[in-house]
Amino acid sequence: MCGRLCCALSPEQVRQAAQVSKECAWEGEERFRGQYNVSPGGAVPCLRTNEDGSRSLCTVSFGMPFEDGRMRINARVEGLQHIAQWRKLLQSGRGVVFCRGFFEWEQGKDGQKRPYYVHAAEGEVMAIAALCDDEGHAVLITSNACESLRWLHDRMPCLLPFESYLQEWLDGRSGASSPRRGDGLAWHAVTRRVGRVSTQGPECIAKLEDEQLHQESLEVAAKKGWRERAASDPQQRRIHQFFNVSPRKRPKTEAP
């Protein structure tokens, strides 16, 4: 599963990765903000093929309403030919989403989830096979994780090499199963604050050292213990609620 992206790219980097000129049209370029922490519903850059065969960039929303009314962010490569909505878009809605990397969470032995940032080892832009509809939505195509990433998650996005395959995918000359590129990837642990959509900036992808990881784990464990005590003790619950609301919203207390 891939549900969080890093799209901290400049428009020039996107155009270079898409192999298009500065004069190439980019629909919705003003909506692209180059965020470090993009969650479902966020804006991501995408390359599509027009009816006349030309290429154009557009800004799309990460996630697509499915036929059952629910929002989907990923499409399993194994089901592209078996699900009507995906099968239709496979013919007319192929796209490539560009990003700097993606986030995945590991379930630790202590029950805590640790986010990792996965990116190209050489720092180049990632190109992910996607399906796009006419309303400006896109889902990322995923496949089984490559061997080097299976410890982290059993799924990963279909990464497209920048040689000929990017064009072959857009032209419909090849499927999305082969571009499961896993070599050349790197990853490192990042702050748990990346789980909050409001967390932005370089700290989202900054590598945490062992000491920082240990400190974060202690903080999470402490908060968990505090919540457990608050659940069983009414007095602790009132203290917990007091310190976890905005000062302006705290109940007034009498002066001693």
Side-chain angles (χ1 to χ4, degrees):
M1 180 177 178
C2 182
R4 201 67 69 91
L5 300 173
C6 174
C7 290
L9 301 169
S10 67
E12 291 72 24
Q13 287 176 303
V14 174
R15 291 181 183 277
Q16 182 177 5
Q19 302 173 8
V20 298
S21 65
K22 294 182 179 180
E23 292 72 29
C24 176
W26 184 342
E27 182 181 354
E29 182 177 359
E30 69 283 353
R31 291 175 47 222
F32 177 62
R33 300 166 59 189
Q35 293 182 310
Y36 278 86
N37 189 4
V38 181
S39 60
V44 295
C46 182
L47 179 67
R48 296 193 61 181
T49 302
N50 302 316
E51 293 182 357
D52 60 1
S54 62
R55 303 275 190 263
S56 65
L57 285 167
C58 57
T59 301
V60 296
S61 295
F62 178 24
M64 182 186 300
F66 197 58
E67 54 191 13
D68 59 6
R70 295 183 295 174
M71 183 67 69
R72 298 292 179 90
I73 58 175
N74 298 147
R76 298 173 67 94
V77 68
E78 301 91 336
L80 295 183
Q81 295 290 354
H82 306 291
I83 298 176
Q85 185 171 345
W86 300 155
R87 188 165 59 247
K88 177 182 178 182
L89 294 178
L90 195 58
Q91 300 300 319
S92 59
R94 295 189 182 206
V96 178
V97 167
F98 298 101
C99 66
R100 190 166 168 178
F102 62 92
F103 300 94
E104 197 55 79
W105 275 255
E106 177 198 21
Q107 184 69 52
K109 295 180 180 179
D110 57 358
Q112 299 181 21
K113 289 187 176 181
R114 164 61 59 188
Y116 281 80
Y117 175 56
V118 183
H119 59 97
E122 300 299 325
E124 64 265 27
V125 177
M126 282 184 170
I128 303 176
L131 296 177
C132 309
D133 63 16
D134 294 332
E135 284 70 49
H137 303 100
V139 293
L140 306 182
I141 299 177
T142 64
S143 65
N144 291 326
C146 59
E147 185 175 353
S148 59
L149 277 180
R150 287 175 191 164
W151 65 273
L152 181 59
H153 202 281
D154 61 350
R155 305 290 296 180
M156 68 176 288
C158 285
L159 304 176
L160 298 167
F162 281 107
E163 294 78 28
S164 60
Y165 202 92
L166 188 148
Q167 303 302 331
E168 293 176 0
W169 160 251
L170 287 175
D171 292 341
R173 288 180 282 151
S174 55
S177 57
S178 11
R180 190 165 49 94
R181 190 187 66 182
D183 57 314
L185 294 179
W187 51 85
H188 57 259
V190 295
T191 176
R192 284 188 171 89
R193 289 192 293 274
V194 78
R196 304 172 186 169
V197 181
S198 59
T199 303
Q200 295 292 340
E203 72 165 306
C204 292
I205 61 174
K207 181 179 180 180
L208 291 190
E209 303 300 334
D210 291 342
E211 184 176 342
Q212 294 172 300
L213 291 171
H214 180 63
Q215 183 60 36
E216 272 204 353
S217 296
L218 291 178
E219 292 174 358
V220 171
K223 289 180 180 179
K224 182 178 179 181
W226 181 268
R227 287 195 296 268
E228 291 174 347
R229 291 193 299 272
S232 59
D233 186 338
Q235 178 63 22
Q236 292 285 344
R237 187 183 306 118
R238 286 193 292 270
I239 296 174
H240 176 73
Q241 292 172 343
F242 181 85
F243 285 105
N244 281 275
V245 298
S246 168
R248 291 180 297 178
K249 297 181 180 180
R250 289 176 183 170
K252 294 182 179 178
T253 56
E254 296 181 359

